[in-house]
Amino acid sequence: MDRIRIGGGRILTGAIPISGAKNAALPLMIASLLTRETLTLHNVPRLSDVRLLMRILGNHGIDAAISGKRIGQSEESGETITLCARDIVDTTAPYELVSRMRASFWVIAPLLARMGEARVSLPGGCAIGTRPVDLLLMALEKLGVEIEIDGGYAVARAPKGLIGGEIDFPKVTVGGTHVALMAAVMAKGETTIINAAREPEIVDLAECLTKMGAKIEGAGTERIVIEGVPRLDGAHHHVLPDRIETGTYAMAVAMTGGDVLLEGARRDLLDSALAALEGTGAHIAQEEAGLRIKRNGGGILPVDITTEPFPGFPTDLQAQFMALMTRAEGNSRIHETIFENRFMHVQELARLGAKISLDGDVAVVEGRRKLKGAQVMATDLRASVSLVIAGLAAQGETVVNRVYHLDRGFEALEKKLARCGADIERLSGEK
Ligand code: EPU
């Protein structure tokens, strides 16, 4: 199993190209099941989650191809993939695949829309919490779907086809909103989604569906109205830049010091996280080519944060911000409100010398810690990358194990950081 070795203590300077967003690419790929025509996605990040989803979609009968490189494209420019679901050959998504990637549960919506039936394994728990799918199933039931749970599978049928309705989410859910959108676009009549998630990835999916012929109003607000259409066509769509990758590298620079241009990044996608970073003393400027982040000398000021649905501070940047706060000039308070168990990084940060106390969903981070390199590992993607950031600022050598978590969501992580002067390399194979 690969590991990443980091020699800490170097400042970061240069430029990092920001990849297409994993959490936009996945639902966009799933949306290709909605049409017999070809969906072409540009700027798709090279990630193991994308490869796995291609396999899962292949199981349903999708022909997927990755286009060759074009002149002028660097190794880091995203890929163009084409997906064509001319005939859906299988409406079952098996446990072996869904349990490896929760988002693949979302195929339930387009399978129902196209075939009137789906049998999809329940994803089960994961490292960051229980993560139920009750609200996703509730949304489908509002559109006339009959669902029973049998042998660990959600067996869903829409005998009269999907029928527009009102879906009022009691809690904001990104996956629930993706599923509701994909089910409603070809339902008969009008669907209203109330208390919809407003994440930029929802807007990206809605924009792509609109190019495919869907009629959607209000994506990016709490109320989305969809007028069903009988069929969707193919389209071309560019995946939006990854706001979590952007925030992660911005936090790395805020921690090590330096000056880095995050190419292609957009402030409007992560305003609240950048405002918190500015509170710590980092300078951030939107330039034409992307976002520039600088911290020269000066201490890191402590800032309290609370994770919230968009436009609040994203839970997917909580672990990285915690790493930064271990070096702040005072104590800070981090309140996690989205996932009940998303503090798995606390014990690993402690191995590097951090002092963090937990009380339910609140972590109090003691500042002014001198971090020292160590062997660490983590059980989820964002927790793993928080250890990389901490390692960059620690004294001596840090080795991050279980790198496959990083490969799920960060394209060419070690190459991008090394280009900015970090001492970081991938060590392959068993120790
Ligand atoms: N929830 C329910 N019932 C449901 C669905 C969700 O109770 O039926 C709860 C969840 O347990 C959680 C909250 O609602 O407490 C929000 O969950 P949400 O549905 O918004 O999360 P998700 O769609 O499963 C996506 C991202 C996550 C990100 C969250 C929150 C993708 C592929 N995943 O998950 O990303 O943390 O939204 O922003 O888009 C990651 O990339 O590392 C990652 C975990």
Side-chain angles (χ1 to χ4, degrees):
M1 217 181 279
D2 288 2
R3 293 164 298 145
I4 286 196
R5 188 202 62 80
I6 301 158
R10 299 222 187 142
I11 65 163
L12 298 172
T13 46
I16 295 179
I18 296 301
S19 297
K22 167 180 84 83
N23 288 350
L26 300 179
L28 288 166
M29 290 169 69
I30 290 172
S32 68
L33 281 166
L34 286 165
T35 174
R36 286 175 61 81
E37 311 299 327
T38 301
L39 178 65
T40 306
L41 297 175
H42 305 280
N43 198 31
V44 178
R46 291 176 182 76
L47 298 172
S48 59
D49 267 9
V50 167
R51 294 284 183 272
L52 178 59
L53 185 57
M54 281 174 89
R55 268 188 54 202
I56 294 172
L57 294 175
N59 209 42
H60 297 298
I62 284 196
D63 281 326
I66 300 173
S67 305
K69 242 197 230 162
R70 302 279 148 81
I71 295 166
Q73 270 186 342
S74 74
E75 204 185 319
E76 283 135 1
S77 33
E79 289 176 326
T80 293
I81 62 175
T82 54
L83 300 151
C84 181
R86 183 153 299 277
D87 296 302
I88 291 178
V89 297
D90 195 342
T91 53
T92 295
Y95 176 72
E96 303 77 66
L97 296 175
V98 180
S99 59
R100 287 176 61 191
M101 185 176 37
R102 295 184 54 83
S104 59
F105 185 82
W106 303 344
V107 298
I108 195 168
L111 289 176
L112 278 162
R114 274 280 292 279
M115 309 296 287
E117 60 167 44
R119 189 170 162 271
V120 181
S121 171
L122 296 171
C126 76
I128 62 176
T130 48
R131 299 183 78 185
V133 289
D134 55 323
L135 300 177
L136 282 63
L137 300 180
M138 177 279 282
L140 294 170
E141 281 170 347
K142 295 285 182 198
L143 302 189
V145 179
E146 293 165 7
I147 301 170
E148 55 172 349
I149 305 300
D150 183 20
Y153 281 73
V155 181
R157 284 186 200 90
K160 296 187 197 119
L162 294 168
I163 299 155
E166 185 175 290
I167 302 167
D168 189 350
F169 285 114
K171 184 176 190 177
V172 176
T173 153
V174 172
T177 307
H178 282 316
V179 160
L181 262 176
M182 287 191 274
V185 283
M186 291 204 291
K188 282 186 208 100
E190 190 177 278
T191 298
T192 306
I193 308 175
I194 300 163
N195 200 24
R198 291 179 280 163
E199 269 66 5
E201 293 75 22
I202 301 284
V203 179
D204 210 36
L205 175 65
E207 280 176 3
C208 179
L209 291 170
T210 303
K211 287 180 197 162
M212 292 164 76
K215 294 192 174 146
I216 302 169
E217 271 177 28
T221 74
E222 287 164 15
R223 191 167 184 277
I224 306 178
V225 181
I226 302 120
E227 180 63 44
V229 295
R231 50 164 288 196
L232 295 181
D233 296 319
H236 280 260
H237 188 75
H238 246 89
V239 180
L240 94 171
D242 196 316
R243 64 196 167 99
I244 305 303
E245 189 194 27
T246 304
T248 300
Y249 291 129
M251 284 172 200
V253 178
M255 199 162 178
T256 61
D259 180 343
V260 172
L261 176 67
L262 302 172
E263 291 167 352
R266 277 167 40 194
R267 179 162 189 131
D268 59 308
L269 300 180
L270 73 164
D271 228 349
S272 61
L274 295 180
L277 268 182
E278 283 168 334
T280 72
H283 293 277
I284 298 161
Q286 179 80 63
E287 297 181 0
E288 212 176 304
L291 277 174
R292 183 170 296 282
I293 162 116
K294 285 194 216 178
R295 193 175 67 77
N296 297 322
I300 299 169
L301 301 173
V303 172
D304 296 342
I305 57 152
T306 298
T307 62
E308 279 165 349
F310 192 85
F313 190 102
T315 174
D316 289 345
L317 284 172
Q318 180 256 106
Q320 299 89 315
F321 197 76
M322 189 181 287
L324 172 64
M325 284 298 96
T326 62
R327 295 289 301 275
E329 289 174 346
N331 295 358
S332 56
R333 202 172 165 276
I334 294 183
H335 185 186
E336 170 61 56
T337 71
I338 307 292
F339 293 112
E340 78 273 18
N341 194 23
R342 208 173 197 179
F343 282 133
M344 309 297 276
H345 39 286
V346 166
Q347 287 313 316
E348 295 300 304
L349 286 170
R351 292 176 55 77
L352 297 171
K355 216 165 167 198
I356 301 159
S357 56
L358 285 180
D359 182 9
D361 54 7
V362 173
V364 175
V365 187
E366 215 174 89
R368 299 194 185 84
R369 302 299 296 181
K370 272 223 153 55
L371 302 184
K372 265 188 153 170
Q375 293 256 355
V376 285
M377 67 166 83
T379 42
D380 89 86
L381 167 62
R382 311 304 177 185
S384 296
V385 86
S386 77
L387 301 172
V388 172
I389 293 183
L392 290 171
Q395 269 173 8
E397 188 175 280
T398 295
V399 176
V400 182
N401 295 290
R402 296 197 183 163
V403 165
Y404 58 87
H405 285 298
L406 291 169
D407 293 337
R408 289 187 44 216
F410 288 91
E411 184 174 6
L413 173 94
E414 68 277 15
K415 287 189 193 141
K416 290 185 181 186
L417 285 168
R419 269 177 41 167
C420 292
D423 173 13
I424 182 168
E425 63 175 339
R426 180 178 287 249
L427 310 171
S428 3
E430 289 292 341
K431 202 172 157 189

